[in-house]
Short mmCIF file of all heavy atoms in Angstrom, two decimals:
data_model
loop_
_atom_site.label_atom_id
_atom_site.label_comp_id
_atom_site.label_asym_id
_atom_site.label_seq_id
_atom_site.Cartn_x
_atom_site.Cartn_y
_atom_site.Cartn_z
N ILE A 293 19.16 16.94 9.50
CA ILE A 293 19.49 15.64 10.10
C ILE A 293 18.34 15.20 11.01
O ILE A 293 17.94 14.04 11.03
CB ILE A 293 20.78 15.73 10.94
CG1 ILE A 293 21.92 16.27 10.08
CG2 ILE A 293 21.11 14.40 11.57
CD1 ILE A 293 22.61 15.26 9.24
N TYR A 294 17.79 16.18 11.74
CA TYR A 294 16.67 15.90 12.63
C TYR A 294 15.48 15.36 11.85
O TYR A 294 14.85 14.37 12.24
CB TYR A 294 16.31 17.19 13.39
CG TYR A 294 14.90 17.28 13.89
CD1 TYR A 294 14.46 16.49 14.94
CD2 TYR A 294 14.01 18.18 13.32
CE1 TYR A 294 13.16 16.59 15.40
CE2 TYR A 294 12.71 18.28 13.77
CZ TYR A 294 12.29 17.49 14.81
OH TYR A 294 11.00 17.58 15.26
N LEU A 295 15.19 15.99 10.71
CA LEU A 295 14.06 15.53 9.90
C LEU A 295 14.32 14.14 9.32
O LEU A 295 13.42 13.30 9.26
CB LEU A 295 13.79 16.53 8.78
CG LEU A 295 13.27 17.88 9.30
CD1 LEU A 295 13.27 18.92 8.20
CD2 LEU A 295 11.87 17.71 9.86
N MET A 296 15.58 13.88 8.91
CA MET A 296 15.90 12.54 8.41
C MET A 296 15.70 11.51 9.52
O MET A 296 15.22 10.40 9.28
CB MET A 296 17.33 12.50 7.88
CG MET A 296 17.49 13.22 6.56
SD MET A 296 19.21 13.52 6.14
CE MET A 296 19.68 11.91 5.55
N LEU A 297 16.08 11.90 10.74
CA LEU A 297 15.89 11.01 11.88
C LEU A 297 14.41 10.69 12.08
O LEU A 297 14.03 9.54 12.29
CB LEU A 297 16.43 11.67 13.16
CG LEU A 297 17.87 11.35 13.52
CD1 LEU A 297 18.30 12.17 14.72
CD2 LEU A 297 18.02 9.86 13.80
N LEU A 298 13.58 11.74 11.98
CA LEU A 298 12.14 11.53 12.11
C LEU A 298 11.65 10.49 11.10
O LEU A 298 10.93 9.56 11.43
CB LEU A 298 11.37 12.83 11.88
CG LEU A 298 11.31 13.88 12.97
CD1 LEU A 298 10.26 14.93 12.61
CD2 LEU A 298 11.00 13.27 14.31
N GLY A 299 12.07 10.68 9.84
CA GLY A 299 11.67 9.76 8.78
C GLY A 299 12.13 8.34 9.09
O GLY A 299 11.37 7.38 8.96
N ALA A 300 13.37 8.21 9.54
CA ALA A 300 13.93 6.89 9.82
C ALA A 300 13.20 6.23 10.99
O ALA A 300 12.88 5.04 10.95
CB ALA A 300 15.42 7.01 10.12
N VAL A 301 12.91 7.04 12.02
CA VAL A 301 12.20 6.48 13.18
C VAL A 301 10.81 6.00 12.75
O VAL A 301 10.36 4.92 13.14
CB VAL A 301 12.11 7.52 14.31
CG1 VAL A 301 11.16 7.04 15.39
CG2 VAL A 301 13.48 7.79 14.90
N ALA A 302 10.15 6.80 11.92
CA ALA A 302 8.81 6.42 11.46
C ALA A 302 8.86 5.09 10.70
O ALA A 302 8.03 4.20 10.90
CB ALA A 302 8.21 7.51 10.58
N ILE A 303 9.87 4.94 9.82
CA ILE A 303 10.00 3.69 9.06
C ILE A 303 10.25 2.52 10.00
O ILE A 303 9.63 1.46 9.91
CB ILE A 303 11.15 3.81 8.03
CG1 ILE A 303 10.76 4.79 6.93
CG2 ILE A 303 11.48 2.46 7.45
CD1 ILE A 303 11.84 5.03 5.91
N LEU A 304 11.16 2.75 10.95
CA LEU A 304 11.52 1.69 11.89
C LEU A 304 10.30 1.24 12.69
O LEU A 304 10.04 0.04 12.84
CB LEU A 304 12.61 2.23 12.83
CG LEU A 304 13.46 1.16 13.50
CD1 LEU A 304 14.38 0.53 12.47
CD2 LEU A 304 14.26 1.75 14.64
N VAL A 305 9.54 2.22 13.19
CA VAL A 305 8.36 1.88 13.99
C VAL A 305 7.37 1.10 13.12
O VAL A 305 6.81 0.09 13.54
CB VAL A 305 7.71 3.15 14.57
CG1 VAL A 305 6.34 2.83 15.14
CG2 VAL A 305 8.60 3.75 15.63
N MET A 306 7.16 1.59 11.89
CA MET A 306 6.19 0.93 11.01
C MET A 306 6.59 -0.51 10.74
O MET A 306 5.75 -1.40 10.65
CB MET A 306 6.13 1.72 9.69
CG MET A 306 4.81 1.64 8.97
SD MET A 306 3.46 2.33 9.90
CE MET A 306 2.29 0.99 9.86
N LEU A 307 7.89 -0.77 10.59
CA LEU A 307 8.35 -2.13 10.27
C LEU A 307 8.41 -3.01 11.51
O LEU A 307 8.08 -4.19 11.45
CB LEU A 307 9.72 -2.08 9.60
CG LEU A 307 9.77 -1.51 8.19
CD1 LEU A 307 11.19 -1.52 7.65
CD2 LEU A 307 8.87 -2.30 7.26
N LYS A 308 8.87 -2.44 12.62
CA LYS A 308 9.17 -3.30 13.79
C LYS A 308 8.07 -3.25 14.85
O LYS A 308 7.93 -4.20 15.61
CB LYS A 308 10.51 -2.87 14.42
CG LYS A 308 11.70 -3.01 13.48
CD LYS A 308 11.96 -4.47 13.15
CE LYS A 308 13.03 -4.60 12.08
NZ LYS A 308 12.97 -5.88 11.37
N ALA A 309 7.35 -2.14 14.95
CA ALA A 309 6.32 -2.04 15.98
C ALA A 309 5.13 -1.29 15.42
O ALA A 309 4.87 -0.15 15.79
CB ALA A 309 6.87 -1.34 17.21
N PRO A 310 4.39 -1.93 14.47
CA PRO A 310 3.33 -1.20 13.76
C PRO A 310 2.25 -0.63 14.68
O PRO A 310 1.48 0.21 14.26
CB PRO A 310 2.76 -2.24 12.80
CG PRO A 310 3.41 -3.53 13.12
CD PRO A 310 4.56 -3.29 14.01
#
Side-chain angles (χ1 to χ4, degrees):
Chain A
I293 304 277
Y294 155 70
L295 292 169
M296 287 166 78
L297 268 174
L298 282 192
V301 170
I303 291 178
L304 202 71
V305 168
M306 208 62 232
L307 290 180
K308 299 294 173 201

